[in-house]
Amino acid sequence: MEDSRQRAAELFRWLVAPVAPGEFLGRHWERAPLLVRRGDPGYYAGLFSTADFDAALRGGEVHFGTHLDVTSYAEGVRETHNPSGRALPAVVWDFYQNGCSLRLLSPQAFSPTVWHFLSILQEHFGSMAGANTYLTPPGTQGFAPHYDDIEAFVLQLEGKKHWRVYSPRTDAEVLPQFSSANLTQAELGEPMLETVLEAGDLLYFPRGFIHQGDCLPDAHSLHITVSSYQRNSWGDFLEKLLPAALQMALEEDVEYRQGLPMDYLGYMGVTNSDAADARRTAFMGKVQSLIKKLVNYAPIDAAVDQRAKSFLHDCLPPVLTQSEKAQSMYGFPARWQDGGPCDVDILITKDTQVRLLRHGIIRLCNEEAGVMLYYTTENSRVYHKEEPKFLEIDPEYTDSIEFLLSSYPNHVSVDTLPCETLEDKISLATLLFEKGILTTKKPLVQV
C-alpha cells in the first residue's frame, strides 16, 4: 500500500474487525469496553509467541526491572520478584515454573514484528503506540486489580485468560490522567464484563476501567497489551497552551500588567467568600474578562506543533520494506571494494523523482532559534533512548517541505521543488535523502 496513512487505517481496521472502525469510535472509544470473539486461534499468528519470548531471553539483552518484571498476586498481595542483572533463560523459566507471571516491557525492542506493528499503528492514533507482553502460568494471577491511564487493546496470542472488567467507580476516575495504585477485591463491586479470552480474541477497555486477569487451571496465557493515548487529552493540550497564551498576553496587552487593587486581600479569599461586597463582584468580573480575552493570545497552532514534536520523539522509527531500502539511504550501496570506497556519491539531479518515506515522519516547527524540521527516521526502538532528531532549515525551504507533504504519496521531480535555485533544490533533496526522510522512485545506484 503506497500511502502510509491508508496502511495505518487498514491495520486498525484489522485490529478491531469485524467491528467497523466507525462503529468502534462511536460506541466504544473512551466510552465502553469491547469484546471480540473471533474463534480463530491463528488470527494474530506471527505477531509474538512464547518462542519469541524465549528468543528475546536468549539474545542476552533482557535485564530484570528494565525489560522484564517477575510478578505474583496471591491472597490479595501483589509482589515483584526481580533479581538484579541480566534475565537469563534458566532463571526466568524457573520463576515461571514456580507460578510467577512474566511481563516483557516494550517487546518492540526485541521483536521486529511488534516494532513493525506499532510503528504503523502510531500513525493512525497520532499518539505513541506502546506494548507489553504478559506470560502467565496456568492457575495463577500476576497483577492486582487496577486501572490504567492508557487506552488498552488486549490481544490474546496463546492459551486463554479469565478477565473481569469494572466500570469507573466515580466521575473522577473516568478517563483519568494517571493510573491507579493496586486495588483490593473489596473495593471493586461487581464486574460489568466477565469473560475468558481465547487465542485470536480482542478485549478493549478505556482508561479508568478497572481490570484483572487470571489464568484457568488448564492453560497458560500469552497476551500483548497495545496501548495509546497516554496524556493526550484536551486538558494535557491546555496545560501547554495556557501558559504560552498568558506569556503572550503579558507581552502584548497592558491590561494584564496593571496592578491588582491595593485592598483586594481584605475582601477576597476563602474567608470572604460568602461576603456580599460589590468589590468582590467587580474583582471576579475582571478575572473572568481577562481569562476570556486570553484566547485571543493563545498560539494554538504553535502549541499543536509542540505536541507533534513530542509525539515524533515518542515514535518508533519506520520499518522499511526491501524495495524502500533499495530506494533510500539505508540501502545505498556505498562500500569498500578493491582497495577503496565505492559508490559513495549521492547523485541526485533535477530529474530525480523523490517522495517522503512516510507521511507522518516529519514536522516543521517555528521556534525562537529558527525553523526546525523534526523527524523520526533516526529514532531508537527503545523509548527516548535518543534525543529528539531535528534539522535547522533555512526558512526559504519551508515551502518545499510543505510541497513534499502535500504531494505524498506521489513522487515529484527535484526540479519542481519551490526553491530559488536548482542548487538549492538538489541540496535540500540530498540532505533529506541522507537523513532517510526522502526515498527515490528508482535506486540511485544500480548494483
Side-chain angles (χ1 to χ4, degrees):
M1 198 171 288
E2 283 293 304
D3 192 325
S4 62
R5 294 165 295 187
Q6 291 180 8
R7 183 162 55 236
E10 282 303 310
L11 182 60
F12 182 73
R13 183 185 301 277
W14 174 85
L15 179 64
V16 299
V19 177
E23 179 185 350
F24 173 80
L25 292 173
R27 296 181 58 182
H28 297 280
W29 180 251
E30 294 191 327
R31 291 180 177 85
L34 169 68
L35 171 64
V36 176
R37 296 187 188 280
R38 294 200 174 97
D40 181 2
Y43 194 79
Y44 303 122
L47 180 56
F48 194 81
S49 66
T50 42
D52 294 324
F53 205 126
D54 186 61
L57 297 176
R58 293 183 178 282
E61 297 301 320
V62 178
H63 287 73
F64 288 110
T66 307
H67 309 115
L68 183 73
D69 285 327
V70 179
T71 68
S72 64
Y73 177 74
E75 299 179 353
V77 178
R78 155 79 163 84
E79 293 184 283
T80 300
H81 307 279
N82 292 341
S84 59
R86 184 171 293 167
L88 298 174
V91 178
V92 173
W93 295 128
D94 184 59
F95 274 121
Y96 177 84
Q97 278 192 328
N98 282 283
C100 291
S101 286
L102 306 174
R103 174 170 63 181
L104 183 63
L105 306 165
S106 300
Q108 59 270 26
F110 307 99
S111 163
T113 312
V114 177
W115 168 26
H116 196 189
F117 180 73
L118 297 178
S119 72
I120 296 172
L121 206 54
Q122 68 192 4
E123 187 167 357
H124 183 77
F125 287 128
S127 175
M128 177 187 165
N132 291 324
T133 57
Y134 300 81
L135 180 58
T136 309
T140 68
Q141 181 168 339
F143 293 87
H146 65 281
Y147 61 75
D148 292 313
D149 58 351
I150 45 90
E151 302 299 296
F153 296 82
V154 177
L155 285 60
Q156 188 70 28
L157 303 174
E158 294 178 12
K160 53 189 176 181
K161 198 165 204 177
H162 171 234
W163 283 91
R164 284 166 285 176
V165 181
Y166 308 79
S167 297
R169 298 169 298 177
T170 65
D171 287 347
E173 291 182 357
V174 176
L175 303 179
Q177 274 192 297
F178 304 103
S179 299
S180 73
N182 292 331
L183 304 173
T184 65
Q185 300 295 332
E187 295 176 276
L188 302 183
E190 291 299 311
M192 56 91 66
L193 186 155
E194 185 168 7
T195 189
V196 175
L197 282 191
E198 299 189 3
D201 293 346
L202 168 73
L203 175 62
Y204 159 81
F205 41 84
R207 51 199 191 275
F209 277 75
I210 299 165
H211 52 279
Q212 60 178 325
D214 61 277
C215 261
L216 301 175
D218 60 338
H220 77 281
S221 169
L222 177 69
H223 78 264
I224 185 168
T225 297
V226 175
S227 61
S228 193
Y229 262 61
Q230 186 178 50
R231 302 301 305 270
N232 200 42
S233 69
W234 284 105
D236 295 309
F237 174 61
L238 291 173
E239 274 187 349
K240 299 292 185 184
L241 177 64
L242 293 180
L246 182 57
Q247 185 59 44
M248 196 166 289
L250 282 164
E251 292 172 4
E252 297 185 9
D253 190 334
V254 68
E255 191 174 2
Y256 289 86
R257 301 196 300 271
Q258 289 170 344
L260 291 160
M262 287 185 183
D263 57 348
Y264 83 102
L265 295 177
Y267 57 82
M268 296 306 297
V270 175
T271 305
N272 303 299
S273 59
D274 294 328
D277 189 319
R279 294 173 300 173
R280 281 186 59 83
T281 304
F283 191 97
M284 299 293 276
K286 179 71 169 181
V287 171
Q288 290 172 8
S289 169
L290 290 172
I291 291 174
K292 187 175 181 180
K293 192 163 68 162
L294 200 59
V295 73
N296 299 326
Y297 300 99
I300 296 173
D301 286 318
V304 168
D305 285 340
Q306 289 303 305
R307 283 196 65 85
K309 165 185 164 181
S310 296
F311 168 50
L312 261 64
H313 188 208
D314 294 343
C315 276
L316 286 163
V319 179
L320 276 64
T321 63
Q322 286 304 312
S323 62
E324 285 174 335
K325 283 182 181 177
Q327 295 155 5
S328 76
M329 190 65 183
Y330 298 105
F332 199 73
R335 62 200 181 280
W336 183 272
Q337 184 174 308
D338 299 330
C342 181
D343 289 332
V344 174
D345 295 332
I346 298 171
L347 301 174
I348 288 178
T349 71
K350 68 182 181 67
D351 297 318
T352 303
Q353 298 274 308
V354 297
R355 75 165 198 177
L356 294 173
L357 173 65
R358 302 276 189 278
H359 187 269
I361 60 170
I362 59 170
R363 188 77 182 199
L364 273 174
C365 293
N366 281 304
E367 301 183 348
E368 286 186 20
V371 179
M372 305 299 177
L373 181 70
Y374 290 88
Y375 60 96
T376 67
T377 53
E378 295 178 353
N379 283 5
S380 170
R381 288 162 65 178
V382 177
Y383 179 69
H384 285 192
K385 184 178 180 180
E386 303 284 344
E387 292 297 311
K389 303 300 181 184
F390 64 91
L391 298 167
E392 186 171 357
I393 294 289
D394 189 313
E396 294 178 1
Y397 287 163
T398 56
D399 287 346
S400 292
I401 302 295
E402 291 167 0
F403 176 67
L404 288 165
L405 277 166
S406 63
S407 300
Y408 182 86
N410 299 315
H411 289 86
V412 296
S413 66
V414 170
D415 195 37
T416 61
L417 296 177
C419 298
E420 284 193 11
T421 68
L422 178 59
E423 184 182 356
D424 286 343
K425 297 175 184 186
I426 292 174
S427 175
L428 176 62
T430 302
L431 174 64
L432 297 179
F433 182 84
E434 287 175 345
K435 292 297 182 182
I437 295 167
L438 284 188
T439 62
T440 55
K441 195 168 187 177
K442 297 178 180 177
L444 289 178
V445 177
Q446 301 297 327
V447 180

